Amino acid sequence: MALKTTSIQGTRDVLPGESAKWQYLRKIALETARLYGVEELMIPTIEKTELFTRSVGETTDVVQKEMYTFEKGKNSITLRPEGTAGTVRAAIQNSLLDGPLPVKVCYNVSCFRHERPQSGRLREFHQFGVEMFGCALPAADAELIQLVHHLLGRLGILEGIRLEINSIGCRRCRPGYNRALVEYFSGYREQLCPACLERLEKNPMRLLDCKVESCRNIAKNAPKILDYLCPDCTSHFEALKALLDAVKIGYIVNPRIVRGLDYYTNTVFEFTTTQIGAQGTVCGGGRYDLLVEQMGGAPTPALGFALGIERLIMVMEAMGAVFPPEKECDLYLGSIGGPAGIRAFELASRLRAEGFYVLCDTVGRSVKSQMKYADKIGARFSCILGDNELGTGKAELKNMRTGQSSFVSLELDEKNETSLLKKLYDAGIDEAVSRIEDARL
Ligand code: HAM
């Protein structure tokens, strides 16, 4: 049969075998962020287009070329290309910043950018991000970076990743730097792409992250922002480095990092890798001390980062990092005939409430194929109910690994030594309990 409609280029299906990796990653990310006082925020996928043009910036590639924008009625709507703008909007709109500061939130979101798809670069991708509001000290920058470092360490991939930091200055130091950039790039007007010619007039710093080869070559020798920082930005950056040194987080100062979005001020950073090809930035972030005010909130220093989940999984796979094994079926509870099917269904539902992974026959297989199926899916135990078992209240519980079987009572009484429940608990109580804990996370 020929498939009538295939998926859109640059989008991916996460298949059942793979989705456990995503669940694991999200669980570890949330758990780690919680250790820093971060709570989860959920924001809409669609926002008014103006939210992104105002925050991400009119002259950025994201806004100029990559947004999925459509008209609905009188509104221009955009699928979010990133999570920061929506988070800032939500924080202001819901008065989250009116209480005690700092406020720290995280999000797990899909993002959409119409880029040229390649390995590690998708048109729909996913980010885990953290944003912190109301913290001006360099300690916040260091804490945020430490959170990412901590998370990458828990995922077992720190070895393959390096941290690059920079400062891109504030309202005070930026004008001097912009003048230096205009002077430098003006000498190359004839060789710049049309977008860069516009950037030269409107937003010179964007000239530094143009993806066109000829513009990139020119940008290599452009003036460096670190030479133009004001004393406050310099001391903020020095204090950040001292804090990172204090907790032994290695970094490289890379004056070429300017980030592709306009809202950044002061500290910017990226976690990069050579393990996954050209798209090696797994995490990007920094300060955006002016954005909250720019979006209509009270002046509030802020900072954040976002990790690309697809790229993170690629790094984990490339480095042979260990994903926890998928949970296994504890019991295949088969049946022969209608009444036994009902009893198996009822028993299974009560065992699942205890945290066991139990499967019954929902296909209509013969006893023989039910046993074969239990074997194929790797069930730890199997048990088949028929009229006989219903009559005696006892059934044979087979340990599929050892081949040994014993008769158990179909009671779900923990104290009864021979009860099915007791036997299952003896075989895997810790796992069952931790599974219930996991489900609650
Ligand atoms: P960004 O650098 O544009 O920053 O994206 C963050 C991460 O998302 C990247 O490092 C990368 O791992 C992933 N990513 C970006 N584009 C793609 C793509 N087309 N395909 C696959 N993965 C991609 C931001 O989005 C900022 N909002 C980060 C931030 C939060 N800054 C402050 N707070």
Side-chain angles (χ1 to χ4, degrees):
M1 231 169 39
L3 182 62
K4 299 264 167 39
T5 310
T6 54
S7 62
I8 290 175
Q9 217 198 346
T11 66
R12 279 192 59 217
D13 301 310
V14 177
L15 301 178
E18 217 186 332
S19 55
K21 295 180 181 174
W22 287 63
Q23 287 165 18
Y24 167 69
L25 226 141
R26 286 177 163 162
K27 178 176 163 262
I28 298 289
L30 279 177
E31 239 178 54
T32 309
R34 192 75 194 117
L35 302 177
Y36 295 74
V38 177
E39 291 179 290
E40 191 174 15
L41 170 77
M42 298 191 197
I43 47 173
T45 309
I46 49 173
E47 298 273 2
K48 291 181 186 160
T49 303
E50 66 195 40
L51 175 75
F52 302 112
T53 45
R54 281 195 183 144
S55 57
V56 172
E58 304 237 23
T59 49
T60 57
D61 273 357
V62 170
V63 167
Q64 284 193 334
K65 305 183 199 159
E66 297 166 5
M67 293 205 305
Y68 283 89
T69 297
F70 57 96
E71 307 297 317
K72 201 79 195 158
K74 288 190 184 122
N75 297 317
S76 175
I77 290 171
T78 293
L79 299 181
R80 71 175 156 232
E82 55 100 59
T84 309
T87 302
V88 171
R89 181 210 41 75
I92 301 171
Q93 190 173 336
N94 297 290
S95 310
L96 296 187
L97 309 181
D98 297 354
L101 296 170
V103 167
K104 302 176 183 179
V105 292
C106 65
Y107 49 82
N108 251 310
V109 293
S110 50
C111 299
F112 305 84
R113 295 184 193 174
H114 193 265
E115 295 189 81
R116 198 166 41 79
Q118 64 178 83
S119 172
R121 194 204 275 154
L122 293 151
R123 289 181 171 168
E124 181 187 10
F125 59 97
H126 297 78
Q127 287 187 342
F128 172 77
V130 170
E131 313 289 351
M132 298 183 176
F133 298 96
C135 20
L137 295 184
D141 310 41
E143 188 181 279
L144 189 76
I145 288 173
Q146 192 185 28
L147 197 170
V148 183
H149 188 266
H150 189 167
L151 174 55
L152 298 176
R154 286 187 73 183
L155 298 175
I157 52 174
L158 260 184
E159 301 277 279
I161 290 183
R162 69 178 192 184
L163 165 64
E164 301 179 32
I165 60 172
N166 190 23
S167 172
I168 56 169
C170 66
R171 267 197 265 234
R172 279 187 301 281
C173 28
R174 206 62 84 65
Y177 183 54
N178 278 341
R179 274 196 299 278
L181 286 177
V182 171
E183 199 174 307
Y184 173 80
F185 280 101
S186 294
Y188 297 93
R189 269 181 191 277
E190 275 75 58
Q191 293 152 60
L192 293 175
C193 75
C196 276
L197 283 174
E198 193 189 337
R199 289 167 180 146
L200 193 58
E201 304 300 322
K202 292 190 178 159
N203 191 354
M205 258 181 69
R206 286 278 72 84
L207 285 153
L208 298 172
D209 65 354
C210 179
K211 291 176 188 127
V212 177
E213 190 64 30
S214 52
C215 299
R216 282 170 62 159
N217 284 334
I218 298 168
K220 274 184 192 149
N221 296 318
K224 296 192 180 88
I225 177 75
L226 288 178
D227 298 329
Y228 293 79
L229 292 185
C230 67
D232 284 352
C233 285
T234 303
S235 69
H236 188 101
F237 195 51
E238 290 307 315
L240 166 63
K241 290 196 281 184
L243 286 161
L244 294 177
D245 291 340
V247 289
K248 299 194 169 47
I249 294 180
Y251 57 85
I252 294 163
V253 175
N254 178 356
R256 298 279 158 222
I257 297 181
V258 287
R259 311 278 302 126
L261 314 160
D262 268 356
Y263 45 66
Y264 292 108
T265 50
N266 221 306
T267 309
V268 286
F269 60 88
E270 288 180 353
F271 284 82
T272 59
T273 181
T274 51
Q275 307 275 331
I276 55 170
Q279 302 303 314
T281 310
V282 284
C283 174
R287 271 200 174 270
Y288 47 91
D289 286 344
L290 307 178
L291 185 60
V292 176
E293 186 181 3
Q294 222 170 291
M295 305 285 290
T300 311
L303 65 167
F305 70 80
L307 274 154
I309 307 276
E310 286 86 352
R311 290 187 194 174
L312 208 52
I313 290 179
M314 283 170 77
V315 180
M316 290 181 74
E317 284 169 348
M319 293 185 65
V322 183
F323 290 94
E326 283 247 47
K327 60 180 177 231
E328 295 173 325
C329 177
D330 292 309
L331 174 67
Y332 181 83
L333 192 52
S335 57
I336 322 157
I342 293 174
R343 180 82 171 108
F345 182 77
E346 180 239 349
L347 266 177
S349 86
R350 290 171 58 188
L351 289 170
R352 287 183 192 126
E354 298 286 330
F356 291 103
Y357 169 1
V358 185
L359 291 182
C360 294
D361 178 39
T362 51
V363 174
R365 290 189 166 95
S366 68
V367 183
K368 203 170 151 203
S369 20
Q370 287 189 44
M371 289 305 289
K372 259 197 195 158
Y373 178 71
D375 192 39
K376 195 171 163 210
I377 59 167
R380 296 172 70 186
F381 290 92
S382 69
C383 181
I384 305 277
L385 306 187
D387 290 344
N388 226 350
E389 285 74 13
L390 257 52
T392 60
K394 288 200 167 110
E396 201 177 353
L397 182 69
K398 182 173 176 193
N399 183 327
M400 303 290 284
R401 307 280 150 83
T402 62
Q404 285 173 337
S405 29
S406 56
F407 275 92
V408 294
S409 84
L410 295 178
E411 275 174 55
L412 295 180
D413 177 359
E414 240 182 285
K415 294 192 189 98
N416 177 342
E417 280 300 312
T418 66
S419 95
L420 174 59
L421 181 64
K422 173 87 169 86
K423 290 277 181 208
L424 289 177
Y425 263 135
D426 287 349
I429 180 165
D430 293 340
E431 285 170 48
V433 170
S434 75
R435 226 172 279 148
I436 290 189
E437 293 297 319
D438 284 354
R440 282 197 200 110
L441 255 177

